[in-house]
Amino acid sequence: MTENRSYLLQGNQACAYGALAGGVDFFAGYPITPSTEIAEILASELPRQGGRFIQMEDEIGSIAAIIGASIAGAKSMTATSGPGFSLMQESMGYAYMAEVPCVVVDVQRGGPSTGLPTKVSQADTMQAKWGTHGDYYPIVLAAASISECFHMTVRAVNLSEKFRSPVVLLLDEVLGHMRERITIPDKSELELVERRKPTVPPEWFKPFELTPTHISPMAGYGEGYRFHCTGLTHDSSGFPTSDPAEIKDKLDKLKLKITQNSDEICTYKQEHIDDCHIVVIAYGVAARVAQQAVRIARHKRFKVGLFQPDTIWPFPEKALRKALENADLAIVAELNQGQLINEVKRIAHSKVKVDGIFRYDGDIMTPHEIVKKIREAN
Amino acid sequence: MAVASTIIYDYLRGKKKFPHVWCPGCGIGITMGALLRAFADLEIDKNDVVMVSGIGCTGRMPVYCDFHTLHTTHGRAIAFATGAKIAKPNMKVIAVCGDGDGLAIGGNHFIHAARRNIDMTVVLVNNKIYGMTGGQYSPTTPHTKLGSTAPHGNVEHPFDVYELTKGAGATYFARGTVYHATLLQSLMKKALSKKGFSVVEVMSNCHTLYGRLNREGSAVKMIEWMKENAVNIKAASRKTPEELEGKVLIGEMLDIERPEYCEQYEALIDQLGGRPKDKPEAEESPEPEEIKK
């Protein structure tokens, strides 16, 4: 790819080029529709750039390999779809517990089970939040355009490095295979984040040190800092603990490093929010439809606006609360039976009526379905 | 002894980490001792070693060893190790697994790592049972033997770990017992020096569960059984099949050469001009057609 030139790319291609631009130098994956193009491109491109690609024996192996590579010092990523994402969940939990930066791209398809391999869905919204067991606070981004497939992949890598946490990027079948024009930015325009390295002498190094930001410096393998890393609940030195105070410190650390920094993590877009009575809330590819619907409805003089979270977990709660200040109704548009709507209801806190428009038959909704809902509400 | 105590200070993590979790008399301690002495013999810098484990009694070994240590999810040690090895090909990577962890839940990763012939050493502690969860039968529990989930005798038949390893494509396999600790040390030394996927199967004793359920006696009795029933592979060729019935073959059983994964991948990077990493412009790669403005 040459910078500052326009290309007609699929979402999966843009995601793969975003990974390269974001500094990913290790990818492990397993073939699964509709995500496979990401692995194919990186298999071709990574070794050309000194990076490494491996096709593992399953998705369980893929997530394990990217965690191992990241702890060793690489910027690592995998890409999959629903069934593979399910297989990865146990070791996702490991990555949350052991605070391992890595990016997991889930190109969503219809479910449950094998479901609809070649059809669109947003049904992994809650799996991305609660897929593995235990208390943890994921960072989940939802891209809505081909350009965002690129930029959000870069951002996902940056967030994972900064917060020492896995980051899930949700795409979907439509986005993965749809083509749009995209301009690949110059490298100098992209800000890349590197994980904080320890500066103390090795004997003082604590891989899970409690810090004011709750983020601990992380050493790679072969850098002179020998440390232990485990999925067992551990103290700041990384060794298993059963001391209640240390257990609480650890779980608070996992929570606070995300919740205290949610203003930085959460981004969102909005249109016509200032004077609207109805707020349409949508994310991912459904937001594209919602955007069109809002523009059509505006043209017909309905007082309607759009709120589109880029980060769905943590949810941009303050921003939505503000967007709903003057509204009477929120309409949540999702390609599932209603998952994020519950978060919206929680935030709206019965002050605003929350209604949903859901499509889960493998097809994407049309702007007119949303416009109809807006019209009915008036 | 003086040497042994130096090794203890050099390779074990002293503070807070002991006493260990294993039952008194457990063979995993002997295994760990042999492994650390092998490292000392080879004079490998601790900063260059990654020790990965999964879940189970054997999975606890990395806590005590002063390397880069990674205690992972159940069965996934070899998959985590694969990632670490590929990301840092110069590191010496070892995975320690039990028979359940390495061959049941982790069996898929085991055979595929062997097939790739990726450079790592797997120390597979075979005590024929799931110890940590309380004595359930494992992929190496012999037919008819008892486990807490095989109360009427094991209906299944065990893996022959040598045949499995060889068939999957590994380049080195050796078997030892916790009685033959010196031999174990030399086999581990050989495995660690081998470029490729190497496996050392360690026949160990779980007297607490396997021994109790199957009336094989105390730790001492079980280890004495190994002394009496282990036959070195070199001596085995002079014995008849009848004489070898019920015996455990030990020693170096496989040592062949095949291209190693990381070497091949690093050569591919060189061939594609992928080094140094910050090379300004990679060779022209097939890229999507530019939009005509």
Side-chain angles (χ1 to χ4, degrees):
Chain A
M1 303 296 284
T2 313
E3 283 99 18
N4 282 322
R5 271 163 69 175
S6 291
Y7 296 94
L8 187 64
L9 292 189
Q10 284 188 332
N12 283 343
Q13 289 176 306
C15 172
Y17 293 121
L20 294 168
V24 167
D25 53 6
F26 182 88
F27 182 98
Y30 186 81
I32 185 167
T33 304
S35 78
T36 311
E37 291 87 354
I38 298 171
E40 287 172 344
I41 292 166
L42 292 174
S44 166
E45 294 303 313
L46 273 172
R48 289 177 200 277
Q49 307 193 8
R52 294 163 182 106
F53 167 93
I54 185 168
Q55 181 171 307
M56 290 298 284
E57 47 275 12
D58 55 26
E59 285 89 346
I60 302 173
S62 303
I63 183 87
I66 69 162
I67 296 170
S70 176
I71 295 171
K75 283 187 175 179
S76 67
M77 179 173 124
T78 186
T80 186
S81 186
F85 193 45
S86 297
L87 282 173
M88 290 180 183
Q89 291 303 330
E90 187 197 10
S91 290
M92 289 287 294
Y94 184 93
Y96 288 118
M97 181 58 120
E99 304 187 50
V100 184
C102 57
V103 174
V104 177
V105 180
D106 174 13
V107 188
Q108 297 168 95
R109 64 193 228 184
S113 189
T114 314
L116 301 161
T118 60
K119 296 267 194 181
V120 67
S121 166
Q122 293 183 314
D124 296 351
T125 298
M126 292 313 286
Q127 191 189 8
K129 169 76 171 148
W130 294 122
T132 193
H133 57 279
D135 271 335
Y136 61 100
Y137 290 78
I139 300 175
V140 182
L141 313 179
S145 69
I146 304 312
S147 173
E148 282 184 3
C149 288
F150 180 94
H151 288 283
M152 281 200 185
T153 306
V154 176
R155 183 154 195 261
V157 178
N158 284 346
L159 288 171
S160 77
E161 291 289 317
K162 175 151 193 188
F163 294 102
R164 265 192 81 170
S165 172
V167 174
V168 177
L169 172 60
L170 294 178
L171 311 183
D172 57 72
E173 191 280 330
V174 164
L175 217 47
H177 291 151
M178 178 170 81
R179 286 176 192 272
E180 277 183 326
R181 183 189 176 121
I182 170 176
T183 304
I184 302 292
D186 192 80
K187 276 199 183 82
S188 61
E189 290 167 30
L190 293 173
E191 193 201 335
L192 299 188
V193 176
E194 307 296 329
R195 66 188 68 169
R196 255 178 73 208
K197 297 274 183 184
T199 50
V200 296
E203 58 274 21
W204 294 358
F205 176 55
K206 289 186 169 179
F208 302 95
E209 188 186 357
L210 301 175
T211 64
T213 57
H214 310 286
I215 303 159
S216 322
M218 187 174 177
Y221 285 164
E223 293 171 6
Y225 295 88
R226 294 185 307 278
F227 58 95
H228 185 61
C229 191
T230 175
L232 288 165
T233 308
H234 44 263
D235 60 17
S236 59
S237 64
F239 291 99
T241 180
S242 49
D243 175 57
E246 287 178 340
I247 294 168
K248 188 170 180 302
D249 280 350
K250 174 71 199 186
L251 294 180
D252 284 345
K253 179 180 194 287
L254 293 184
K255 176 180 179 176
L256 293 172
K257 75 173 176 179
I258 304 299
T259 55
Q260 281 196 354
N261 295 298
S262 62
D263 286 346
E264 183 186 336
I265 298 168
C266 290
T267 59
Y268 57 93
K269 293 186 266 297
Q270 49 190 26
E271 272 182 35
H272 308 295
I273 285 295
D274 297 341
D275 66 341
C276 70
H277 301 311
I278 300 173
V279 180
V280 179
I281 299 159
Y283 56 101
V285 77
R288 298 291 290 280
V289 182
Q291 185 185 46
Q292 185 65 15
V294 165
R295 286 174 188 176
I296 293 168
R298 273 272 152 184
H299 195 68
K300 296 181 178 175
R301 301 187 190 285
F302 288 111
K303 296 266 185 196
V304 54
L306 172 72
F307 183 86
Q308 178 190 348
D310 298 325
T311 318
I312 56 171
W313 308 113
F315 195 89
E317 190 168 336
K318 279 185 222 161
L320 178 65
R321 202 163 276 143
K322 194 153 185 298
L324 292 177
E325 260 172 11
N326 302 314
D328 315 313
L329 174 68
I331 298 173
V332 183
E334 295 183 80
L335 298 174
N336 54 46
Q337 292 180 326
Q339 297 193 10
L340 204 66
I341 189 171
N342 294 311
E343 183 70 2
V344 173
K345 280 180 180 163
R346 183 184 72 75
I347 294 163
H349 199 60
S350 68
K351 284 180 188 139
V352 180
K353 192 179 167 227
V354 181
D355 203 350
I357 173 162
F358 311 123
R359 182 117 188 215
Y360 42 87
D361 58 359
D363 277 341
I364 196 160
M365 58 188 70
T366 63
H368 290 283
E369 288 173 62
I370 301 175
V371 173
K372 197 172 155 226
K373 195 93 182 171
I374 293 167
R375 185 177 287 139
E376 282 166 10
N378 270 269
Chain B
M1 268 302 144
V3 178
S5 55
T6 318
I7 292 170
I8 285 170
Y9 286 114
D10 279 352
Y11 287 91
L12 290 180
R13 286 174 170 144
K15 275 184 255 166
K16 263 178 78 178
K17 309 303 170 288
F18 290 89
H20 57 64
V21 298
W22 303 310
C23 304
C26 178
I28 300 175
I30 299 170
T31 309
M32 183 168 83
L35 182 62
L36 296 183
R37 285 193 297 276
F39 272 112
D41 288 348
L42 293 168
E43 295 176 347
I44 299 172
D45 188 335
K46 288 190 289 184
N47 285 311
D48 296 336
V49 180
V50 181
M51 184 191 243
V52 191
S53 75
I55 299 295
C57 296
T58 307
R60 294 301 181 100
M61 194 189 290
V63 171
Y64 313 114
C65 301
D66 191 16
F67 302 123
H68 296 292
T69 51
L70 185 54
H71 178 217
T72 72
T73 43
H74 196 19
R76 316 300 164 204
I78 293 172
F80 277 77
T82 298
K85 178 70 188 177
I86 297 172
K88 291 272 170 87
N90 294 329
M91 301 297 284
K92 175 68 60 195
V93 176
I94 59 167
V96 289
C97 316
D99 41 295
D101 187 51
L103 299 177
I105 188 166
N108 203 22
H109 308 305
F110 183 86
I111 57 173
H112 285 278
R115 176 180 60 77
R116 289 184 190 108
N117 194 33
I118 186 166
D119 181 31
M120 67 174 70
T121 298
V122 174
V123 174
L124 195 119
V125 179
N126 181 358
N127 58 10
K128 304 183 204 170
I129 205 140
Y130 286 88
M132 194 160 270
T133 47
Q136 296 78 23
Y137 74 94
S138 85
T140 56
T141 306
H143 184 54
T144 73
K145 292 289 183 183
L146 298 173
S148 67
T149 48
H152 312 294
N154 188 12
V155 179
E156 301 176 23
H157 292 264
F159 271 135
D160 179 329
V161 187
Y162 161 63
E163 294 288 353
L164 179 74
T165 309
K166 186 182 163 209
T171 46
Y172 185 88
F173 179 88
R175 186 185 290 134
T177 82
V178 294
Y179 174 80
H180 305 84
T182 318
L183 174 69
L184 197 57
Q185 180 183 337
S186 68
L187 294 174
M188 284 173 172
K189 225 169 112 179
K190 189 78 190 288
L192 289 170
S193 316
K194 180 79 184 180
K195 189 95 182 163
F197 190 76
S198 57
V199 178
V200 179
E201 182 187 8
V202 183
M203 303 308 294
S204 185
N205 58 298
C206 178
H207 49 283
T208 307
L209 292 157
Y210 185 83
R212 182 170 55 79
L213 286 165
N214 289 289
R215 299 186 187 285
E216 292 189 6
S218 64
V220 173
K221 230 176 145 192
M222 286 183 82
I223 294 173
E224 274 180 343
W225 184 94
M226 292 177 200
K227 175 189 174 186
E228 283 150 19
N229 289 280
V231 178
N232 197 291
I233 190 78
K234 290 174 193 154
S237 57
R238 297 190 295 272
K239 292 190 188 287
T240 63
E242 291 75 34
E243 284 175 308
L244 290 174
E245 186 68 37
K247 302 287 181 191
V248 179
L249 294 184
I250 58 170
E252 197 173 273
M253 299 162 81
L254 177 72
D255 186 6
I256 56 169
E257 298 300 325
R258 269 182 64 217
E260 191 272 327
Y261 177 87
C262 289
E263 269 183 2
Q264 298 231 299
Y265 200 91
E266 296 307 301
L268 175 70
I269 294 175
D270 288 331
Q271 187 198 323
L272 294 171
R275 231 181 302 265
K277 218 183 135 189
D278 297 322
K279 200 162 160 274
E281 189 65 50
E283 279 173 48
E284 264 320 291
S285 55
E287 59 179 53
E289 213 176 303
E290 194 190 350
I291 295 176
K292 303 265 184 312
K293 289 197 175 140

